[in-house]
Amino acid sequence: MLFTLIALAIGLAVSLGAREAQAASVWVLNVKTASGQKASTTKQAKRTNLNSTSYTIYPSGDTSGRTDFNAIHNVMNKYSGYGQNWDHRNKKITVRLISGKTYYINKTLKLYNNITFIATGATLKQVTNGKGIFINALYKDSSDNVGSKRSIGGYSRGKNFTITGGKYVTTGKAGSTSRSKNGWRYGYSTFLFMHCKTIRIKGVTITNNYNGHSIELAGCRNVRVEYCTFNGTYRGDSTNEVIQLDTTKNSNCSPQGKPWDGTTTRTTLIDHCTFNVPNCPKGVGTNNMSSTGYYRVKVTNCKFKVKNYGISFYKVTKGGASGNKFTRGKVLMRSCSSQVTLGKAEKARKV
């Protein structure tokens, strides 16, 4: 009788656990799915009907980066019945990594519309030199950027990206085949968004960069970067920023940002972030190649320890900076409107 009761209790717990897992997420690659099946290929995943809007990915331990990259890429696009399309047919997809675990990737992950990426407590390592972590799917040379999509401009090549938590580490080294520029090889941006809107980046740590930016926003609007930390090493020329607000004016300022229609970044808040990259020339800066300038940019409550300028504003209209602290780094203002205001600390650091 006791054995029967124990068996019933275990069976009920397993049943409830399976239902909870099914409701919360689908597990893919190297682990069992919520239905108890294992998927290690795209065909197997389709057969097990991994058609969910929420996925939890477990790490493979493959330090080459191939296995984890494929797992993450596939759940964001191929496995999901909402995939195979850069906008997921307007469905929302959530991808979760496991806290305390390390994942390795060997390529840059493409973000499709309406993706929420949650990596709180996890580490995502890029093992290939010269490559970043995230890029929106419709960059110039992307396999998704075909046909009529090539002509999409403005703020319409990506939308609704949310990245929450996680430590994102790159090698901080140049790609072996990259060309030289200003005495340095061409670099990369760890997170790169072009022609996008509605981006939320919160609580992430980005470590290391080579001759680029930790976050680059080229022709983006409605962006919030909050409670993030930037650290590690930087190697590169003297013009780069940890966070760059950019334009898609031409290939010189945004090589993968075609169409080069001059879309500029606007309505951006950078708040409660820590910039601890002593070798990087600037903390937050706007690219001086913009013809129209940058509208409604705010940098608030951040801490800066960079080489030259914590904040470098060029052609900013409305917004400003306040509540920031500077261990090292000045505030540079060029061709900004009178509607751009500075707090006491920022005025004291102004050059």
Side-chain angles (χ1 to χ4, degrees):
M1 184 67 167
L2 179 60
F3 176 80
T4 302
L5 289 174
I6 292 172
L8 287 172
I10 292 173
L12 179 59
V14 170
S15 176
L16 290 174
R19 290 179 186 176
E20 182 179 357
Q22 180 67 40
S25 63
V26 176
W27 304 345
V28 298
L29 210 68
N30 300 321
V31 294
K32 291 182 179 180
T33 68
S35 59
Q37 297 169 295
K38 184 176 180 180
S40 58
T41 68
T42 301
K43 288 183 179 179
Q44 288 175 358
K46 288 179 178 177
R47 285 201 299 270
T48 54
N49 193 29
L50 298 185
N51 187 9
S52 176
T53 57
S54 182
Y55 301 86
T56 299
I57 302 175
Y58 285 70
S60 67
D62 177 11
T63 57
S64 76
R66 290 189 294 269
T67 306
D68 290 339
F69 171 83
N70 287 332
I72 299 170
H73 172 74
N74 287 340
V75 298
M76 289 199 292
N77 186 35
K78 291 183 179 179
Y79 283 162
S80 171
Y82 306 123
Q84 308 296 345
N85 193 304
W86 71 289
D87 65 358
H88 284 127
R89 303 188 186 96
N90 291 318
K91 297 293 184 178
K92 295 181 179 179
I93 305 295
T94 299
V95 179
R96 291 182 174 87
L97 304 187
I98 301 298
S99 180
K101 301 296 184 180
T102 298
Y103 299 73
Y104 302 90
I105 59 174
N106 64 338
K107 301 176 185 177
T108 304
L109 290 163
K110 291 191 286 188
L111 284 177
Y112 298 85
N113 284 359
N114 307 308
I115 289 279
T116 294
F117 194 92
I118 302 173
T120 304
T123 298
L124 187 60
K125 287 188 175 182
Q126 173 61 261
V127 300
T128 303
N129 294 339
K131 289 189 179 295
I133 302 290
F134 289 124
I135 190 170
N136 61 290
L138 292 192
Y139 59 93
K140 183 174 76 71
D141 293 333
S142 171
S143 60
D144 292 278
N145 188 30
V146 296
S148 61
K149 298 183 184 71
R150 293 179 182 274
S151 63
I152 297 173
Y155 301 103
S156 299
R157 295 179 72 83
K159 66 179 180 180
N160 300 334
F161 305 126
T162 299
I163 304 172
T164 301
K167 183 176 181 179
Y168 303 86
V169 184
T170 64
T171 67
K173 298 178 181 179
S176 59
T177 61
S178 63
R179 295 173 295 158
S180 295
K181 178 184 178 183
N182 299 331
W184 299 90
R185 289 185 180 272
Y186 278 86
Y188 59 87
S189 290
T190 308
F191 292 4
L192 175 55
F193 302 97
M194 298 159 289
H195 292 288
C196 296
K197 61 187 175 184
T198 314
I199 301 169
R200 301 289 182 268
I201 303 172
K202 185 175 182 179
V204 311
T205 297
I206 298 179
T207 301
N208 302 333
N209 184 267
Y210 178 84
N211 205 23
H213 316 282
S214 293
I215 298 176
E216 181 178 354
L217 304 165
C220 296
R221 77 178 186 196
N222 191 15
V223 180
R224 298 174 72 96
V225 181
E226 304 171 283
Y227 296 95
C228 296
T229 299
F230 306 93
N231 58 23
T233 62
Y234 167 81
R235 294 179 63 240
D237 67 33
S238 60
T239 63
N240 285 331
E241 305 91 349
V242 177
I243 298 180
Q244 185 191 53
L245 310 186
D246 205 351
T247 175
T248 58
K249 180 179 179 180
N250 54 46
S251 60
N252 289 327
C253 55
S254 184
Q256 288 291 332
K258 192 176 182 180
W260 296 299
D261 56 5
T263 303
T264 192
T265 295
R266 57 181 292 162
T267 315
T268 304
L269 172 66
I270 300 166
D271 181 59
H272 281 97
C273 293
T274 299
F275 297 79
N276 185 20
V277 193
N279 289 332
C280 193
K282 305 172 187 176
V284 179
T286 56
N287 191 326
N288 62 11
M289 295 184 71
S290 174
S291 299
T292 58
Y294 304 85
Y295 181 72
R296 293 185 64 185
V297 177
K298 290 185 178 181
V299 181
T300 56
N301 307 308
C302 294
K303 298 177 181 178
F304 292 96
K305 186 178 181 180
V306 295
K307 189 173 183 179
N308 296 323
Y309 302 108
I311 299 169
S312 176
F313 280 169
Y314 171 79
K315 279 192 175 179
V316 175
T317 303
K318 288 192 175 181
S322 63
N324 300 291
K325 296 181 180 179
F326 302 84
T327 300
R328 196 168 81 190
K330 302 291 185 178
V331 176
L332 183 64
M333 303 278 286
R334 297 170 296 170
S335 304
C336 295
S337 78
S338 59
Q339 294 177 298
V340 178
T341 60
L342 298 179
K344 291 183 179 179
E346 291 73 23
K347 289 179 180 178
R349 305 292 291 194
K350 185 178 177 181
V351 294

